[in-house]
Protein backbone atom coordinates (compact mmCIF):
# COMPACT_ATOMS: atom_id res chain seq x y z
CA UNK A 1 0.00 0.00 0.00
CA UNK A 2 1.28 3.46 -0.89
CA UNK A 3 2.22 5.39 2.27
CA UNK A 4 0.50 8.69 2.95
CA UNK A 5 2.31 11.97 3.45
CA UNK A 6 1.74 11.78 7.21
CA UNK A 7 3.07 8.22 7.29
CA UNK A 8 6.16 9.35 5.41
CA UNK A 9 6.69 12.26 7.82
CA UNK A 10 6.64 9.73 10.67
CA UNK A 11 8.86 7.23 8.85
CA UNK A 12 11.57 9.82 8.10
CA UNK A 13 11.28 11.74 11.38
CA UNK A 14 14.42 12.94 13.13
CA UNK A 15 15.44 12.04 16.70
CA UNK A 16 16.45 15.66 17.38
CA UNK A 17 17.16 18.86 15.50
CA UNK A 18 20.19 20.15 17.40
CA UNK A 19 22.68 17.52 16.24
CA UNK A 20 24.19 18.18 12.82
CA UNK A 21 23.01 15.45 10.47
CA UNK A 22 23.72 14.89 6.77
CA UNK A 23 21.01 12.93 4.99
CA UNK A 24 21.45 11.91 1.35
CA UNK A 25 18.51 11.35 -1.00
CA UNK A 26 18.85 9.52 -4.31
CA UNK A 27 16.80 7.51 -6.76
CA UNK A 28 18.23 4.66 -8.81
CA UNK A 29 16.91 1.94 -11.10
CA UNK A 30 16.73 -1.69 -9.99
CA UNK A 31 19.95 -2.32 -11.93
CA UNK A 32 21.74 0.58 -10.23
CA UNK A 33 21.49 3.35 -12.83
CA UNK A 34 21.36 6.82 -11.33
CA UNK A 35 20.03 8.49 -14.48
CA UNK A 36 17.77 7.73 -17.44
CA UNK A 37 18.28 9.93 -20.45
CA UNK A 38 20.88 11.91 -18.51
CA UNK A 39 18.58 12.89 -15.63
CA UNK A 40 17.67 11.27 -12.34
CA UNK A 41 14.19 12.78 -12.21
CA UNK A 42 13.00 10.53 -15.04
CA UNK A 43 13.49 7.47 -12.79
CA UNK A 44 11.11 8.59 -10.05
CA UNK A 45 7.38 8.25 -9.45
CA UNK A 46 4.73 10.10 -7.49
CA UNK A 47 5.62 8.57 -4.11
CA UNK A 48 9.30 9.29 -4.74
CA UNK A 49 8.42 12.92 -5.35
CA UNK A 50 6.40 12.96 -2.12
CA UNK A 51 9.36 11.48 -0.23
CA UNK A 52 11.58 14.22 -1.65
CA UNK A 53 9.12 16.88 -0.45
CA UNK A 54 8.91 15.25 2.99
CA UNK A 55 12.70 15.17 3.31
CA UNK A 56 12.89 18.83 2.29
CA UNK A 57 10.16 19.65 4.80
CA UNK A 58 12.21 18.04 7.58
CA UNK A 59 15.46 19.78 6.60
CA UNK A 60 16.99 23.11 7.50
CA UNK A 61 18.98 23.36 4.28
CA UNK A 62 19.05 21.50 0.97
CA UNK A 63 22.60 21.10 -0.36
CA UNK A 64 23.18 20.38 -4.04
CA UNK A 65 26.30 20.24 -6.19
CA UNK A 66 26.47 22.77 -9.01
CA UNK A 67 26.80 19.99 -11.61
CA UNK A 68 23.50 18.51 -10.49
CA UNK A 69 21.85 21.93 -10.55
CA UNK A 70 22.90 22.24 -14.20
CA UNK A 71 22.12 18.64 -15.24
CA UNK A 72 18.70 18.49 -13.59
CA UNK A 73 17.69 22.06 -14.39
CA UNK A 74 16.99 22.85 -10.74
CA UNK A 75 14.55 25.63 -10.03
CA UNK A 76 12.71 26.28 -6.80
CA UNK A 77 13.06 23.82 -3.92
CA UNK A 78 10.12 25.32 -2.06
CA UNK A 79 7.75 22.94 -0.30
CA UNK A 80 3.97 23.11 -0.62
CA UNK A 81 1.86 25.38 1.55
CA UNK A 82 0.71 22.31 3.50
CA UNK A 83 4.31 21.40 4.24
CA UNK A 84 5.20 25.02 4.97
CA UNK A 85 2.38 25.08 7.53
CA UNK A 86 3.77 21.89 9.10
CA UNK A 87 7.18 23.52 9.34
CA UNK A 88 5.78 26.66 10.98
CA UNK A 89 3.81 24.55 13.47
CA UNK A 90 7.10 22.88 14.48
CA UNK A 91 8.95 26.15 15.00
CA UNK A 92 10.77 26.17 11.66
CA UNK A 93 10.95 28.75 8.90
CA UNK A 94 8.28 28.13 6.28
CA UNK A 95 10.89 27.07 3.71
CA UNK A 96 14.30 25.39 3.93
CA UNK A 97 17.28 27.23 2.51
CA UNK A 98 19.18 26.13 -0.56
CA UNK A 99 22.98 25.80 -0.68
CA UNK A 100 24.77 25.12 -3.99
CA UNK A 101 28.32 23.74 -3.73
CA UNK A 102 30.72 24.85 -6.47
CA UNK A 103 34.49 24.84 -6.73
CA UNK A 104 34.66 26.74 -10.02
CA UNK A 105 31.52 28.89 -9.67
CA UNK A 106 30.19 27.66 -13.01
CA UNK A 107 26.82 29.24 -12.30
CA UNK A 108 24.99 32.26 -13.66
CA UNK A 109 22.96 34.77 -11.62
CA UNK A 110 20.12 34.23 -14.07
CA UNK A 111 19.94 30.47 -13.50
CA UNK A 112 16.49 29.19 -12.53
CA UNK A 113 17.76 28.06 -9.13
CA UNK A 114 18.25 31.72 -8.16
CA UNK A 115 14.94 32.99 -9.56
CA UNK A 116 12.66 34.59 -6.96
CA UNK A 117 13.38 32.31 -4.00
CA UNK A 118 11.47 32.89 -0.77
CA UNK A 119 14.80 32.66 1.08
CA UNK A 120 18.11 33.90 -0.29
CA UNK A 121 20.19 30.96 -1.58
CA UNK A 122 23.73 30.16 -0.45
CA UNK A 123 26.65 29.38 -2.75
CA UNK A 124 29.44 27.43 -1.06
CA UNK A 125 32.88 27.81 -2.61
CA UNK A 126 36.53 28.30 -1.61
CA UNK A 127 38.96 31.20 -1.31
CA UNK A 128 40.65 30.45 -4.64
CA UNK A 129 37.44 30.51 -6.69
CA UNK A 130 37.32 33.00 -9.60
CA UNK A 131 36.59 36.52 -8.39
CA UNK A 132 34.48 37.60 -11.39
CA UNK A 133 31.78 34.92 -11.07
CA UNK A 134 31.86 35.34 -7.30
CA UNK A 135 31.09 39.05 -7.56
CA UNK A 136 28.23 38.34 -9.97
CA UNK A 137 26.73 35.64 -7.77
CA UNK A 138 26.89 37.87 -4.70
CA UNK A 139 23.98 39.78 -6.26
CA UNK A 140 21.67 36.76 -5.94
CA UNK A 141 23.13 34.60 -3.15
CA UNK A 142 25.11 34.62 0.07
CA UNK A 143 28.64 33.38 -0.61
CA UNK A 144 30.05 30.96 1.96
CA UNK A 145 33.82 30.50 1.67
CA UNK A 146 34.97 27.15 3.06
CA UNK A 147 38.52 26.06 2.29
CA UNK A 148 41.56 27.56 0.58
CA UNK A 149 41.81 25.74 -2.77
CA UNK A 150 38.76 23.44 -2.71
CA UNK A 151 35.52 23.34 -0.76
CA UNK A 152 36.11 21.96 2.74
CA UNK A 153 32.90 20.04 3.39
CA UNK A 154 33.44 19.69 7.15
CA UNK A 155 33.96 23.44 7.37
CA UNK A 156 30.79 23.93 5.29
CA UNK A 157 28.75 21.89 7.76
CA UNK A 158 30.21 23.83 10.68
CA UNK A 159 29.37 27.15 9.00
CA UNK A 160 25.82 26.01 8.25
CA UNK A 161 25.36 24.79 11.82
CA UNK A 162 26.62 28.13 13.08
CA UNK A 163 23.77 29.71 11.15
CA UNK A 164 21.23 27.36 12.72
CA UNK A 165 21.12 24.86 9.86
CA UNK A 166 21.83 21.48 11.47
CA UNK A 167 19.56 19.22 9.40
CA UNK A 168 21.24 18.95 6.02
CA UNK A 169 19.54 17.23 3.10
CA UNK A 170 21.93 16.57 0.21
CA UNK A 171 20.36 15.75 -3.15
CA UNK A 172 23.61 15.03 -4.96
CA UNK A 173 25.13 14.66 -7.23
CA UNK A 174 27.19 11.46 -7.08
CA UNK A 175 30.55 13.26 -6.81
CA UNK A 176 29.37 15.35 -3.86
CA UNK A 177 28.04 12.16 -2.25
CA UNK A 178 31.41 10.52 -2.82
CA UNK A 179 33.30 13.44 -1.29
CA UNK A 180 31.04 13.46 1.78
CA UNK A 181 31.52 9.70 2.17
CA UNK A 182 35.30 9.99 1.90
CA UNK A 183 35.23 12.65 4.63
CA UNK A 184 33.04 10.48 6.88
CA UNK A 185 30.28 13.08 6.95
CA UNK A 186 27.23 11.07 5.82
CA UNK A 187 24.80 10.09 8.57
CA UNK A 188 21.84 8.78 6.58
CA UNK A 189 21.19 7.58 3.04
CA UNK A 190 17.65 7.49 1.64
CA UNK A 191 17.43 5.56 -1.62
CA UNK A 192 14.43 5.04 -3.85
CA UNK A 193 14.76 1.93 -6.02
CA UNK A 194 12.66 2.32 -9.16
CA UNK A 195 11.16 -0.79 -10.82
CA UNK A 196 13.14 -0.14 -13.99
CA UNK A 197 16.10 -1.86 -15.65
CA UNK A 198 17.99 0.75 -17.59
CA UNK A 199 21.28 -0.73 -18.79
CA UNK A 200 23.48 1.68 -20.73
CA UNK A 201 26.38 3.55 -19.22
CA UNK A 202 24.68 5.47 -16.40
CA UNK A 203 26.74 5.90 -13.24
CA UNK A 204 25.97 4.93 -9.66
CA UNK A 205 24.74 7.15 -6.84
CA UNK A 206 28.34 7.44 -5.56
CA UNK A 207 31.19 8.67 -7.76
CA UNK A 208 34.82 9.47 -7.01
CA UNK A 209 34.94 7.96 -3.52
CA UNK A 210 37.75 5.63 -2.49
CA UNK A 211 36.80 1.98 -2.10
CA UNK A 212 35.99 1.13 1.52
CA UNK A 213 33.60 -1.02 3.53
CA UNK A 214 31.38 1.72 4.93
CA UNK A 215 28.63 -0.02 6.86
CA UNK A 216 25.22 1.48 7.54
CA UNK A 217 22.24 -0.17 9.19
CA UNK A 218 18.85 -0.46 7.56
CA UNK A 219 16.30 1.76 9.33
CA UNK A 220 13.27 0.98 7.20
CA UNK A 221 11.93 -0.48 3.95
CA UNK A 222 8.76 0.99 2.45
CA UNK A 223 6.97 0.16 -0.80
CA UNK A 224 4.19 1.68 -2.85
CA UNK A 225 1.54 0.35 -5.21
CA UNK A 226 3.71 1.13 -8.26
CA UNK A 227 6.55 -1.19 -7.24
CA UNK A 228 8.98 1.41 -5.89
CA UNK A 229 11.07 0.55 -2.83
CA UNK A 230 12.14 3.22 -0.32
CA UNK A 231 15.19 2.41 1.78
CA UNK A 232 16.53 4.39 4.73
CA UNK A 233 20.01 3.64 6.03
CA UNK A 234 21.66 5.09 9.13
CA UNK A 235 25.31 5.08 10.08
Amino acid sequence: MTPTRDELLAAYSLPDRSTTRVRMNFVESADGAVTLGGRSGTLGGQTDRTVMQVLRTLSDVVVIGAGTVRAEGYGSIEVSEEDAAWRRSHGLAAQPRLAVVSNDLGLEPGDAVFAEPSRRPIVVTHAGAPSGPRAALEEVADILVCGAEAVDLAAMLAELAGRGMHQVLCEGGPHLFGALLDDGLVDEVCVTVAPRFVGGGAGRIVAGASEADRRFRLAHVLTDDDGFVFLRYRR
Side-chain angles (χ1 to χ4, degrees):
M1 182 180 295
T2 298
T4 66
R5 168 187 168 274
D6 287 343
E7 288 170 338
L8 290 171
L9 280 167
Y12 289 97
S13 63
L14 300 165
D16 69 85
R17 300 199 64 90
S18 60
T19 302
T20 295
R21 182 178 291 100
V22 175
R23 172 185 268 177
M24 310 300 301
N25 184 39
F26 277 88
V27 60
E28 64 179 6
S29 68
D31 59 338
V34 73
T35 57
L36 175 60
R39 298 181 62 244
S40 65
T42 53
L43 290 170
Q46 182 55 54
T47 310
D48 175 61
R49 288 187 284 274
T50 303
V51 168
M52 181 176 68
Q53 289 301 309
V54 163
L55 294 178
R56 288 177 176 180
T57 297
L58 292 167
S59 72
D60 294 319
V61 59
V62 179
V63 174
I64 312 168
T68 296
V69 167
R70 292 189 292 267
E72 299 290 332
Y74 261 83
S76 171
I77 64 154
E78 292 188 2
V79 301
S80 69
E81 181 51 43
E82 181 182 18
D83 290 329
W86 185 95
R87 287 176 59 86
R88 286 190 292 264
S89 73
H90 287 77
L92 306 175
Q95 299 291 337
R97 288 195 75 176
L98 168 69
V100 181
V101 180
S102 179
N103 276 305
D104 63 4
L105 294 181
L107 300 160
E108 297 293 335
D111 288 345
V113 75
F114 300 120
E116 299 182 2
S118 60
R119 301 185 70 186
R120 187 171 169 87
I122 299 167
V123 172
V124 183
T125 191
H126 58 90
S131 59
R134 176 175 169 176
L137 290 168
E138 284 176 339
E139 297 296 319
V140 296
D142 294 337
I143 307 298
L144 198 59
V145 177
C146 301
E149 298 180 356
V151 173
D152 182 327
L153 295 172
M156 175 190 75
L157 295 177
E159 289 286 346
L160 292 173
R163 291 162 170 76
M165 291 173 275
H166 296 275
Q167 303 311 310
V168 178
L169 173 63
C170 182
E171 297 183 353
H175 283 93
L176 181 53
F177 188 5
L180 287 163
L181 272 180
D182 266 347
D183 289 349
L185 298 174
V186 177
D187 300 293
E188 289 196 16
V189 182
C190 301
V191 182
T192 296
V193 181
R196 295 183 169 91
F197 292 83
V198 172
R204 295 188 294 175
I205 63 174
V206 178
S210 59
E211 183 177 312
D213 185 7
R214 304 174 182 89
R215 300 204 174 191
F216 285 62
R217 63 183 180 85
L218 184 62
H220 75 220
V221 180
L222 304 175
T223 61
D224 72 1
D225 293 337
D226 295 321
F228 286 78
V229 180
F230 307 93
L231 306 171
R232 181 185 182 187
Y233 292 96
R234 290 175 176 164
R235 188 165 61 175

